[in-house]
Amino acid sequence: MKKNFTDTDTSKLYVSGCLHLNHNPKWDTPLWKMRGYNSADEMTDDIIDTINIVCNKSDKLLVLGDFCLNTNLIQFNEFIKRIEPEIWMVRGNHNSPWENAYKEWSLREHGHYANHVKWGEVTYLGNYVQLKWNKRSFVCNHYPFAIWDGSHNGVMSIHSHNHGSYAPSLPDSLDTGKQLDCGWDVHKKPLSFEEIMEIMNKKQISISDHHTSDVNGGF
């Protein structure tokens, strides 16, 4: 699926992922502690506050999966209401509790599991979206790719999932392709696409297979 967005003076597109709101796993060192918080509630409040400081109500926030965990549907809806920008949601590998509720709604309304539709306050984009932001091309999903559509021709890949543990997608990895982990643990805030472009402009195109810049340009 493809989606276009052009920044204006009143509305910009931001991206983040792996927010893990309310996540309170029974680990020796739970995620909220690894992030420097005293509790899952404190982490959740700080992430939402940071989003609302960075983004305006008229902006869009593209969440690249793993919005929340250990959360019931009432809590999920409360988090959505507290976040001021409109949320565009890409499916991650942790989709409780909203996915079952979304599937039930989608089957009632559309007769199938629909993508790129508005569901309450959220626009659900499915597993993967090809995005043109200000005429620049991006592949957006939860996981990183080794090769993606148009990677040999300057199309950029943004994802989350790795919590900063996948070196090729870090901001200072310059020769491993135009890909970027936009997750919360890397940047501690939503990124504007202007900020993403500042990073991507320093990264080099990496060609890992038979495709070259003169073979089948990207979307």
Side-chain angles (χ1 to χ4, degrees), residues 1-38:
M1 299 292 288
K2 297 182 180 181
K3 197 168 185 66
N4 297 326
F5 189 90
T6 300
D7 278 358
T8 68
D9 292 338
T10 58
S11 183
K12 292 187 176 183
L13 181 60
Y14 290 82
V15 64
S16 190
C18 289
L19 306 182
H20 284 243
L21 300 180
N22 208 46
H23 191 191
N24 192 16
K26 294 180 180 179
W27 304 335
D28 290 339
T29 306
L31 179 62
W32 52 263
K33 186 173 285 188
M34 286 189 281
R35 288 176 168 178
Y37 298 103
N38 295 310

Side-chain angles (χ1 to χ4, degrees), residues 100-115:
N100 286 338
Y102 174 76
K103 285 181 177 179
E104 291 175 4
W105 171 86
S106 184
L107 288 172
R108 288 196 309 269
E109 295 295 318
H110 301 282
H112 64 283
Y113 190 17
N115 297 332

Side-chain angles (χ1 to χ4, degrees), residues 116-182:
H116 287 241
V117 294
K118 192 73 178 290
W119 175 52
E121 302 298 318
V122 174
T123 297
Y124 178 66
L125 299 177
N127 292 315
Y128 170 95
V129 60
Q130 292 179 328
L131 172 71
K132 282 204 171 178
W133 170 85
N134 289 14
K135 300 182 179 180
R136 302 300 300 269
S137 296
F138 293 83
V139 166
C140 316
N141 74 322
H142 184 61
Y143 304 99
F145 290 115
I147 299 168
W148 57 92
D149 188 6
S151 58
H152 62 286
N153 207 33
V155 175
M156 293 160 277
S157 170
I158 58 175
H159 65 88
S160 58
H161 183 64
N162 301 102
H163 296 257
S165 67
Y166 182 61
S169 293
L170 294 178
D172 57 357
S173 295
L174 305 183
D175 60 354
T176 52
K178 289 184 176 289
Q179 56 182 329
L180 183 64
D181 184 343
C182 294

Side-chain angles (χ1 to χ4, degrees), residues 48-218:
I48 292 175
D49 288 346
T50 301
I51 290 171
N52 291 340
I53 289 169
V54 172
C55 304
N56 296 318
K57 291 182 179 180
S58 57
D59 294 329
K60 317 293 184 189
L61 175 62
L62 172 60
V63 178
L64 298 173
D66 291 6
F67 177 77
C68 61
L69 283 88
N70 306 122
T71 303
N72 60 43
L73 194 58
I74 292 174
Q75 291 170 313
F76 169 81
N77 286 321
E78 288 175 349
F79 295 155
I80 295 295
K81 290 177 181 178
R82 287 173 59 190
I83 293 173
E84 294 186 353
E86 179 186 337
I87 294 175
W88 291 0
M89 189 83 76
V90 169
R91 187 178 185 272
N93 62 304
H94 298 293
N95 306 298
S96 177
W98 61 266
E99 187 168 41
N100 286 338
Y102 174 76
K103 285 181 177 179
E104 291 175 4
W105 171 86
S106 184
L107 288 172
R108 288 196 309 269
E109 295 295 318
H110 301 282
H112 64 283
Y113 190 17
N115 297 332
H116 287 241
V117 294
K118 192 73 178 290
W119 175 52
E121 302 298 318
V122 174
T123 297
Y124 178 66
L125 299 177
N127 292 315
Y128 170 95
V129 60
Q130 292 179 328
L131 172 71
K132 282 204 171 178
W133 170 85
N134 289 14
K135 300 182 179 180
R136 302 300 300 269
S137 296
F138 293 83
V139 166
C140 316
N141 74 322
H142 184 61
Y143 304 99
F145 290 115
I147 299 168
W148 57 92
D149 188 6
S151 58
H152 62 286
N153 207 33
V155 175
M156 293 160 277
S157 170
I158 58 175
H159 65 88
S160 58
H161 183 64
N162 301 102
H163 296 257
S165 67
Y166 182 61
S169 293
L170 294 178
D172 57 357
S173 295
L174 305 183
D175 60 354
T176 52
K178 289 184 176 289
Q179 56 182 329
L180 183 64
D181 184 343
C182 294
W184 193 267
D185 295 281
V186 179
H187 306 281
K188 307 293 192 296
K189 66 171 189 174
L191 289 177
S192 71
F193 273 75
E194 292 169 338
E195 291 173 309
I196 292 172
M197 286 307 306
E198 287 180 10
I199 296 170
M200 292 295 195
N201 286 338
K202 298 174 185 177
K203 289 175 172 277
Q204 305 300 312
I205 294 173
S206 177
I207 299 175
S208 304
D209 64 359
H210 76 285
H211 290 95
T212 62
S213 59
D214 59 349
V215 175
N216 296 330

